[in-house]
Amino acid sequence: MNTSPPRRPPTAAYADAAEAAGRAPSIHNTQPWHWQIHPDRLDLYADTSRALPGTDPDQRMLLVSCGAALHHAQVALHAQGYDTAVRPLPEPDRPEHLATVTITGDVPVTAQAMRLARSLRLRHTDRRPTVDSPVSAEQFEELRRIAAAVGVHLHRLTPDQVTDLVVAVSHAEDADAAEPARQAETHLWTGPSRPAGTGLPPEVIPDRRPETDVGERDFGAHGTLQPGGGHDKAATYVVLFGADDDRAAWLRAGQALSAVWLQATAQGLAVLPYSQVIEIDGTRAMMRRILSHLGQAYLVLRLGVADPEHALPGHTPRLPFEQTATVDQAAR
Ligand SMILES: Cc1cc2nc3c(=O)[nH]c(=O)nc-3n(C[C@H](O)[C@H](O)[C@H](O)COP(=O)(O)O)c2cc1C
């Protein structure tokens, strides 16, 4: 156990947490969240001006992305020695109000809290094929426990199920290619006219289709990221899933995604989400069958040992804090 850092007024702590949450992963790096910072609480809203109506009509991935930002904010507060309570979807008549975070007291700053806070700065999406070392059973078990603590299951696909995933991903690619609204959105968020501070720059998109069994998302254009010589033979594919399929469940799935990804980062693992198979109704049903109808699939993740020799050469941008947060007058 470490000694606690100096205390900060709650408003400053909430503002720091909202800023840290800006580093969260999001579908197409849309960062579809807005924070309102109050003296006594932090409110999370969906910013639907950055939603993807063609790709994500039910806002599943928007909710998962906002859930990841919510968990990032919690991690930042825990690392400052604050305990928190989260009220999901606190206003039934305002579905865009996704959560309220409140500081409920002090907690000791543990080594694990500091590790996760460090991962906030290091975490990123890695679309290069994984190296040849497999993810160990102990590493997976730790991630499974971490997801379960947030109320979400994590299933490691068997080799047969990975074969079924290959088929589902290929169906999703075909469905995507046949849908002009989805194609137009992908182009908007990955092409040269992507909104400033958002989207995927060429540095994080491979310069050719990587040699993988489970095909990576086709962004419609090649970037400049060199995939190296790896393959995904040693990769582990996992599915985040749970009993429910509604906004509360998707928000929780996002919290679990962040929890798993930050811990995986601390374990030296690389993570790549596969959301196309969930976005499309037909392939989402295939994923449910792959899970033997044990639950609703929220997101597929590829886990692999991160290449220790080569750091990613580029990273995704972020919106300035002022565009994703407002400070209540009373908190100034
Ligand atoms: C809900 C969700 C779905 C995503 N789906 C995909 C995907 O299908 N393919 C992909 O390459 N990246 C996917 N990503 C990764 C995002 O593109 C990435 O988080 C974003 O560009 C920010 O980059 P960073 O994670 O490196 O910070 C997804 C992320 C989230 C949170």
Side-chain angles (χ1 to χ4, degrees), residues 175-195:
D176 199 46
E179 189 54 67
R182 292 177 61 93
Q183 296 281 298
E185 274 175 358
T186 304
H187 183 70
L188 173 65
W189 292 92
T190 59
S193 54
R194 61 191 178 277

Side-chain angles (χ1 to χ4, degrees), residues 56 58 60-61 64 152-155 157 165 168 238-246 249-254 274-301:
D56 185 31
D58 300 331
R60 278 165 202 277
M61 294 305 147
V64 173
V152 176
H153 301 291
L154 189 70
H155 171 70
L157 294 181
L165 176 66
V238 299
V239 186
L240 284 166
F241 75 98
D244 301 318
D245 200 24
D246 54 23
W250 305 334
L251 193 66
R252 207 163 41 243
Y274 282 71
S275 56
Q276 264 172 318
V277 282
I278 309 294
E279 292 156 19
I280 293 163
D281 293 345
T283 49
R284 196 169 61 256
M286 289 171 84
M287 291 310 304
R288 256 199 317 274
R289 279 198 292 279
I290 291 174
L291 291 173
S292 307
H293 298 277
L294 283 175
Q296 312 286 343
Y298 302 137
L299 199 60
V300 176
L301 300 176

